Amino acid sequence: MKRGSILTLLVLAILGLVGSGWAADYARPDLIISTDELAGILTHPEIKILDARGPEDYKAGHIAGAIPLPHGKTQYVERGVPGVVAPVERLEGLFGELGIRPTDTLVLYDDIVGEPVTRLFWTFDVLGHNKVRVLNGGMSKWAKEGRPVSKEETAIAPAKYTAKPDWTKFADAAYVLVNLKNSQVALVDCRGPKEWSGEVASRQVKRAGRIPGAKNVDW
């Protein structure tokens, strides 16, 4: 197969137009991308690579062409509670300033596929952005393999971003209270076992313990 044909297949794969055989063992291979695949499409115009880490980590070295989007920027404090998803209008403005279009395929990464990238993935998912992938292995795998790393800021051309929120993917306290005894709703506590048991309190949470009925699946 010619080199151009191989690159075309890679682009089609990340855009979800062909299958991803490398990830056949995953239930949803369309939600992740390998470092090999990403390396082949770094400059594709419909791909936006988003760095979910903090500003200092981005400055120290990021994937060439990546746009900085610390996951904290998509959150705000509501009535003293931190980490609440920001209003849709604010997110539309932020994403537009970063040159993100609703039609773009987004590739998200942090260091180890932890809280930053998963939170950012969920935010885009709630906003109805259909083409979102997470870099399998994150920046740590990318750097370990000796792939292109840059310290230069990526040039950004502002764009218009319009969200199509899917609130069925969002649960607030009222929803949880109503469904505490609903056998069709499973509550999953992703914290550590000691936080789940109430032995220790979580970060920024004054009351130790868990929501009644929640099962513990440590992230």
Side-chain angles (χ1 to χ4, degrees):
M1 185 179 290
K2 295 181 180 180
R3 181 178 179 183
S5 298
I6 294 174
L7 181 55
T8 299
L9 282 176
L10 286 170
V11 172
L12 290 175
I14 186 59
L15 294 178
L17 301 179
V18 298
S20 299
W22 70 271
D25 292 336
Y26 291 100
R28 290 291 305 275
D30 56 308
L31 301 182
I32 54 178
I33 180 173
S34 70
T35 51
D36 282 337
E37 284 185 306
L38 181 58
I41 54 173
L42 278 180
T43 59
H44 193 279
E46 293 183 3
I47 303 293
K48 291 290 192 306
I49 305 170
L50 303 180
D51 189 321
R53 304 174 301 163
E56 295 305 316
D57 290 325
Y58 179 84
K59 292 178 181 179
H62 53 267
I63 294 175
I67 298 169
L69 179 53
H71 73 295
K73 280 193 172 184
T74 65
Q75 305 169 29
Y76 82 127
V77 178
E78 181 180 35
R79 288 180 291 183
V81 179
V84 178
V85 63
V88 173
E89 296 78 10
R90 185 184 302 184
L91 293 174
E92 288 178 327
L94 171 63
F95 298 156
E97 291 174 1
L98 295 175
I100 302 170
R101 300 166 298 183
T103 56
D104 288 332
T105 292
L106 308 180
V107 176
L108 317 179
Y109 75 89
D110 58 12
D111 282 323
I112 58 170
V113 192
E115 176 188 354
V117 77
T118 50
R119 174 63 191 245
L120 197 56
F121 176 92
W122 173 74
T123 301
F124 277 110
D125 194 38
V126 169
L127 293 184
H129 200 113
N130 296 322
K131 301 175 183 177
V132 187
R133 276 64 170 164
V134 171
L135 180 61
N136 207 6
M139 185 65 183
S140 59
K141 188 173 189 294
W142 182 270
K144 186 177 180 179
E145 293 172 347
R147 300 187 185 276
V149 174
S150 174
K151 293 185 178 181
E152 297 182 3
E153 289 191 18
T154 301
I156 295 173
K160 173 70 174 179
Y161 192 92
T162 303
K164 296 181 179 180
D166 181 358
W167 297 116
T168 65
K169 297 179 178 179
F170 178 92
D172 57 13
Y175 175 88
V176 174
L177 281 171
V178 169
N179 288 281
L180 279 179
K181 296 182 179 181
N182 185 347
S183 62
Q184 301 301 310
V185 175
L187 293 175
V188 180
D189 189 326
C190 300
R191 301 172 302 162
K194 290 185 178 181
E195 293 171 306
W196 174 80
S197 68
E199 185 176 342
V200 298
S202 301
R203 295 172 300 167
Q204 299 177 312
V205 178
K206 296 180 180 179
R207 297 169 62 192
R210 61 183 179 274
I211 297 175
K215 305 300 181 182
N216 187 215
V217 182
D218 190 338
W219 74 277

